[in-house]
Amino acid sequence: GRGETASIATFLSRLDQRASFTYLHPQFRGLNWNALWSFSVERTTQNPLFTARLGQGSIQIERILDAAKTKRLQFRYTFQRTALTHLLIQNFIPPEDESVRASMPSVSFVRDTRDKPLDAHKGVFQTVDFSLGPKLFGSSHNVVRLFGQTAYYRQVKPWLVWANSVRLGLVTSFAGSHVPVSQRFFSGGSDSLRGFPLNGAGPQGVATLCTQENDPSTCTALIRVPVGGQQLFILNSEARFPIPLKKGLGGVIFYDRGNVYDRINVRRLFNDYSNTLGFGIRYQTPVGPVRVDIGRNLNPITGLKSTQIFVTLGQSF
């Protein structure tokens, strides 16, 4: 047969409900391209400040470019709808961003020579993605977006792995439009800048917190919230080594730097540069390493803790 695969998945909890469907065709129309169709819907209240309803549909065709299967070329079309309701914060989300459509064709190139994708010791992982979302295709805003990443792994000693990652993202609008919140870059957390809480890096805004929707009398507190940015630049470096106290136990010393920036600007790239030093523990399991990281932000933001602790699964990059 042709090895086609279809899958349906659901996730139900009090705070998050998701459903998705994917269909993979390994030889699309008998050519050397595989095709992937994907559809998903989600309602989430994990952030207590709003309710988000998300819908997405995409079709992707991909071709392997070399015999070693390390290089791939992808063409994709994605339509996404984001709607925010029950907002308990004011002066944060513009009314025109509460319901946003993104209709974006994109092209991606991927190169992956890692020995173990979940816990690489050598090789590289590189990807670059270019997306265009004009109103002509059904988007609510005119947006163009570029994201690139390079991760490099080297086994310096039999017991020491040096891992590095560079990420650059740029997004801008055109034809009199603006970049909606849902298309901006957010960073901070266990997989990016570990001196910030989840999505806490970059430009900060002041918003009014309410306890009841559409009731100004309950709006009393002022809070700082990340507003995202049009430019992202992140550098990560890690030294990974075993800890001889127990089989499968390892340690990490890491240095994360970079930030999210409100607009594309070389001067701001250096003026708002952040630095995080930290260490972590890894314990190997059949599904990948369990990870505990402690990061100390050397350029803390007022109102945010300069020391962050993360517990998760898998390496940071």
Side-chain angles (χ1 to χ4, degrees), residues 158-234:
W159 52 271
L160 179 63
V161 174
W162 186 40
N164 297 271
S165 173
V166 181
R167 281 171 271 189
L168 174 67
L170 307 170
V171 60
T172 188
S173 58
F174 59 94
S177 187
H178 78 280
V179 179
V181 174
S182 59
Q183 292 294 327
R184 297 176 194 168
F185 291 106
F186 289 83
S187 188
S190 63
D191 298 324
S192 54
L193 299 171
R194 284 164 281 187
F196 293 93
L198 180 64
N199 293 332
Q204 304 286 312
V206 178
T208 304
L209 177 63
C210 309
T211 56
Q212 298 292 331
E213 182 186 9
N214 298 324
D215 186 353
S217 65
T218 67
C219 303
T220 56
L222 295 178
I223 59 173
R224 295 179 63 87
V225 292
V227 298
Q230 295 183 232
Q231 178 175 278
L232 175 144
F233 182 70
I234 296 175

Side-chain angles (χ1 to χ4, degrees), residues 118-119 248 282-291 312-315:
L118 292 180
D119 187 15
R282 308 288 187 267
Y283 183 70
Q284 295 292 337
T285 71
V287 294
V290 174
R291 172 162 58 101
T312 185
L313 187 67
Q315 297 287 5

Side-chain angles (χ1 to χ4, degrees), residues 8-13 15-21 39-44 46 52 54:
I8 297 175
T10 60
F11 177 85
L12 300 175
S13 72
L15 299 179
D16 193 16
Q17 304 88 44
R18 297 194 304 266
S20 64
F21 169 79
F39 305 92
S40 65
V41 292
E42 180 178 8
R43 179 186 181 276
T44 175
Q46 293 185 80
L54 313 172

